[in-house]
Protein backbone atom coordinates (compact mmCIF):
# COMPACT_ATOMS: atom_id res chain seq x y z
CA UNK A 1 0.00 0.00 0.00
CA UNK A 2 1.58 3.34 -1.02
CA UNK A 3 2.21 6.04 1.53
CA UNK A 4 0.08 9.16 1.36
CA UNK A 5 1.24 12.72 1.55
CA UNK A 6 -0.56 15.11 3.91
CA UNK A 7 -0.28 18.87 4.29
CA UNK A 8 -1.45 20.38 7.54
CA UNK A 9 -1.07 24.01 8.44
CA UNK A 10 1.39 24.54 5.57
CA UNK A 11 3.63 21.64 6.71
CA UNK A 12 4.08 18.73 4.28
CA UNK A 13 4.58 15.19 5.61
CA UNK A 14 4.58 11.78 3.97
CA UNK A 15 2.23 9.71 6.13
CA UNK A 16 1.38 6.04 6.14
CA UNK A 17 -2.01 6.47 7.78
CA UNK A 18 -4.69 8.72 6.63
CA UNK A 19 -6.15 21.21 33.51
CA UNK A 20 -3.66 21.07 36.16
CA UNK A 21 -0.35 22.42 37.36
CA UNK A 22 1.67 24.52 35.00
CA UNK A 23 5.03 23.07 34.05
CA UNK A 24 8.14 24.81 35.24
CA UNK A 25 9.49 27.53 32.96
CA UNK A 26 13.01 26.12 33.26
CA UNK A 27 13.73 22.45 32.59
CA UNK A 28 14.46 20.21 35.56
CA UNK A 29 18.21 20.09 36.23
CA UNK A 30 18.22 16.27 36.40
CA UNK A 31 17.48 15.95 32.66
CA UNK A 32 20.29 16.36 30.16
CA UNK A 33 19.59 17.90 26.76
CA UNK A 34 19.57 14.58 24.87
CA UNK A 35 17.45 12.66 27.43
CA UNK A 36 13.84 12.02 26.54
CA UNK A 37 10.79 10.71 28.35
CA UNK A 38 7.91 8.86 26.71
CA UNK A 39 4.63 10.70 27.21
CA UNK A 40 0.98 10.51 26.18
CA UNK A 41 -0.01 14.11 25.45
CA UNK A 42 -3.49 15.53 25.86
CA UNK A 43 -4.18 18.47 23.53
CA UNK A 44 -6.71 21.22 24.28
CA UNK A 45 -7.59 22.69 20.88
CA UNK A 46 -9.35 25.74 22.33
CA UNK A 47 -6.50 26.86 24.60
CA UNK A 48 -3.58 25.35 22.67
CA UNK A 49 -2.34 23.54 25.76
CA UNK A 50 -0.47 20.25 25.74
CA UNK A 51 -0.68 18.27 29.00
CA UNK A 52 1.16 15.10 30.05
CA UNK A 53 2.72 13.32 33.04
CA UNK A 54 6.47 13.48 33.67
CA UNK A 55 7.97 11.79 36.72
CA UNK A 56 4.54 11.60 38.35
CA UNK A 57 3.86 15.33 37.88
CA UNK A 58 1.24 16.75 35.56
CA UNK A 59 2.84 19.33 33.27
CA UNK A 60 1.12 21.78 30.94
CA UNK A 61 2.64 23.71 28.07
CA UNK A 62 1.36 25.79 25.16
CA UNK A 63 1.82 25.66 21.39
CA UNK A 64 0.41 27.96 18.72
CA UNK A 65 -0.58 25.06 16.41
CA UNK A 66 -2.49 22.52 18.53
CA UNK A 67 -4.47 21.24 15.52
CA UNK A 68 -1.25 20.41 13.67
CA UNK A 69 -0.01 18.48 16.71
CA UNK A 70 -3.25 16.45 16.89
CA UNK A 71 -3.15 15.73 13.14
CA UNK A 72 0.43 14.46 13.33
CA UNK A 73 -0.31 12.64 16.59
CA UNK A 74 -3.09 10.72 14.78
CA UNK A 75 -0.50 9.52 12.22
CA UNK A 76 2.21 8.77 14.78
CA UNK A 77 3.97 5.42 14.39
CA UNK A 78 6.21 5.53 17.49
CA UNK A 79 5.77 6.63 21.09
CA UNK A 80 5.79 10.39 21.63
CA UNK A 81 8.99 11.64 23.27
CA UNK A 82 9.43 14.71 25.47
CA UNK A 83 12.83 16.36 25.92
CA UNK A 84 12.49 18.38 29.16
CA UNK A 85 15.80 20.23 28.83
CA UNK A 86 14.76 21.81 25.52
CA UNK A 87 10.95 21.62 25.95
CA UNK A 88 10.78 19.70 22.66
CA UNK A 89 7.93 17.28 21.87
CA UNK A 90 8.89 14.77 19.16
CA UNK A 91 6.38 12.77 17.11
CA UNK A 92 7.35 10.23 14.43
CA UNK A 93 5.24 9.57 11.31
CA UNK A 94 5.68 7.02 8.53
CA UNK A 95 7.33 8.37 5.39
CA UNK A 96 8.30 7.00 2.00
CA UNK A 97 12.00 6.22 1.84
CA UNK A 98 12.50 6.54 5.61
CA UNK A 99 12.45 3.15 7.30
CA UNK A 100 12.32 4.65 10.81
CA UNK A 101 9.85 7.36 9.85
CA UNK A 102 10.29 11.11 9.97
CA UNK A 103 10.43 13.00 13.24
CA UNK A 104 8.39 16.18 13.68
CA UNK A 105 9.52 18.46 16.50
CA UNK A 106 7.48 21.00 18.43
CA UNK A 107 9.05 23.43 20.89
CA UNK A 108 6.49 24.09 23.63
CA UNK A 109 6.16 27.27 25.67
CA UNK A 110 5.47 27.52 29.38
CA UNK A 111 1.75 27.99 30.05
Amino acid sequence: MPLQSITVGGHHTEAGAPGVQAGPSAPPPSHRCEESVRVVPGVDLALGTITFLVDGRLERYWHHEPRLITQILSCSVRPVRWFPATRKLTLTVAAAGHRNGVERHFILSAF
Side-chain angles (χ1 to χ4, degrees), residues 1 5 9 21 23 35 38 41 58 62-64 71 73-74 77 100:
M1 181 169 149
S5 154
Q21 281 182 344
E35 289 181 346
R38 288 184 179 183
L58 200 55
W62 180 84
H63 194 271
H64 66 281
Q71 178 69 34
L73 188 58
S74 70
V77 295
N100 293 323

Side-chain angles (χ1 to χ4, degrees), residues 13-70:
T13 301
E14 296 292 324
V20 181
Q21 281 182 344
S25 58
S30 63
H31 293 285
R32 292 187 325 212
C33 189
E34 66 276 359
E35 289 181 346
S36 68
V37 179
R38 288 184 179 183
V39 296
V40 178
V43 181
D44 184 324
L45 296 176
L47 297 176
T49 58
I50 318 302
T51 307
F52 45 83
L53 283 172
V54 175
D55 297 329
R57 288 188 345 252
L58 200 55
E59 297 194 15
R60 182 165 41 176
Y61 296 89
W62 180 84
H63 194 271
H64 66 281
E65 294 184 295
R67 292 188 193 288
L68 176 61
I69 291 175
T70 57

